[in-house]
Amino acid sequence: MKLDAIIREAAPGAPLVLALHGQWEDENAWPERLGDKGAELSWVFPRGPYHAEAERRGRQLSGRSWYEYTGDRDAFAASLRETGGWLLSLLDRTIVETRADPKRVFVLGFSQGGYQGGSTALLWPERFAGAAILGARFKTELLDDDFARLEHLRLFSGHGVRDRSVRPEPAAEHAQRLIDAGVDLRHEEYACGHRVLPEMIDDALAHLIHP
């Protein structure tokens, strides 16, 4: 599958950030959040490949999603891998188009985009220099305790302490598991619910790209 995406191009040789929106959002979510942040970076903002609809608390929700989730763990992992492959193909095309530095490719994701982005970095660490997830957790169970492949990565995990959609405790637990394994990971908690604060973006970019 060829994913649709918005591309924001910086100077040749700039780092490239793959930014993945949350469920129910689309490719416009991250450009709106960023404003002029990260103007020195090249960005690619893809649209989730799946259309999702649901009714919650009397509200009809409709938007994009990154994977199919039915509760079956094996099927979930397979869907993460399938979408991850599509994202890698998108990165290949974007690196050529923007003339970005292929050794400085990062992924930034919120909520479902955080699960997908973090999992893509864990499954194909050789393709990334770092990953930041907000309102999600790193799925360390995908690694089978093979943490050595992550030794070059810089990782960031940011979570709202009042998040009722994705509980903060598992995010902290899995972040600590990576830290204990020697991975360069910074975990921060914020006084908010399931949302992205401007300081979350600042902290993520500072750790990944401007350490």
Side-chain angles (χ1 to χ4, degrees), residues 175-183:
Q176 190 60 51
R177 186 182 181 200
L178 289 164
I179 292 169
D180 291 344
V183 178

Side-chain angles (χ1 to χ4, degrees), residues 17-204:
V17 184
L18 170 68
L20 306 184
H21 60 75
Q23 190 177 31
W24 317 119
E25 298 179 337
D26 62 21
E27 67 272 28
N28 295 295
W30 271 113
E32 292 172 2
R33 288 189 180 105
L34 288 168
D36 60 1
K37 291 180 185 291
E40 76 282 9
L41 310 171
S42 287
W43 294 81
V44 55
F45 309 104
R47 178 191 303 170
Y50 297 102
H51 178 74
E53 292 186 355
E55 184 176 338
R56 292 183 181 174
R57 299 177 183 176
R59 293 176 55 206
Q60 188 66 33
L61 301 176
S62 178
R64 309 303 297 183
S65 66
W66 291 105
Y67 46 74
E68 296 179 309
Y69 181 71
T70 62
D72 183 287
R73 292 185 178 183
D74 291 339
F76 180 28
S79 189
L80 287 169
R81 289 178 182 273
E82 182 175 43
T83 300
W86 296 334
L87 290 170
L88 295 182
S89 295
L90 173 63
L91 282 175
D92 288 338
R93 298 194 303 271
T94 307
I95 289 169
V96 172
E97 181 174 338
T98 63
R99 293 179 288 172
D101 184 349
K103 294 183 179 179
R104 292 191 294 167
V105 176
F106 302 87
V107 59
L108 168 65
F110 167 59
S111 191
Q112 195 186 84
Y115 278 99
Q116 180 65 62
S119 297
T120 302
L122 295 185
L123 290 168
W124 292 278
E126 68 279 0
R127 297 296 305 272
F128 296 93
I133 63 171
L134 309 175
R137 74 167 176 85
F138 284 106
K139 290 185 65 62
T140 58
E141 61 269 31
L142 297 173
L143 293 169
D144 295 325
D145 294 326
D146 183 11
F147 297 104
R149 298 173 62 223
L150 312 181
E151 60 183 4
H152 68 286
L153 290 180
R154 290 195 296 273
L155 303 181
F156 181 88
S157 171
H159 217 102
V161 294
R162 297 193 296 271
D163 194 333
R164 295 183 179 180
S165 297
V166 180
R167 293 191 302 114
E169 294 85 3
E173 176 186 338
H174 285 261
Q176 190 60 51
R177 186 182 181 200
L178 289 164
I179 292 169
D180 291 344
V183 178
D184 178 3
L185 185 148
R186 175 183 170 188
H187 178 73
E188 295 288 347
E189 295 185 338
Y190 300 85
C192 66
H194 193 63
R195 58 178 299 192
V196 178
L197 300 177
E199 53 264 43
M200 289 178 166
I201 301 172
D202 293 338
D203 291 345

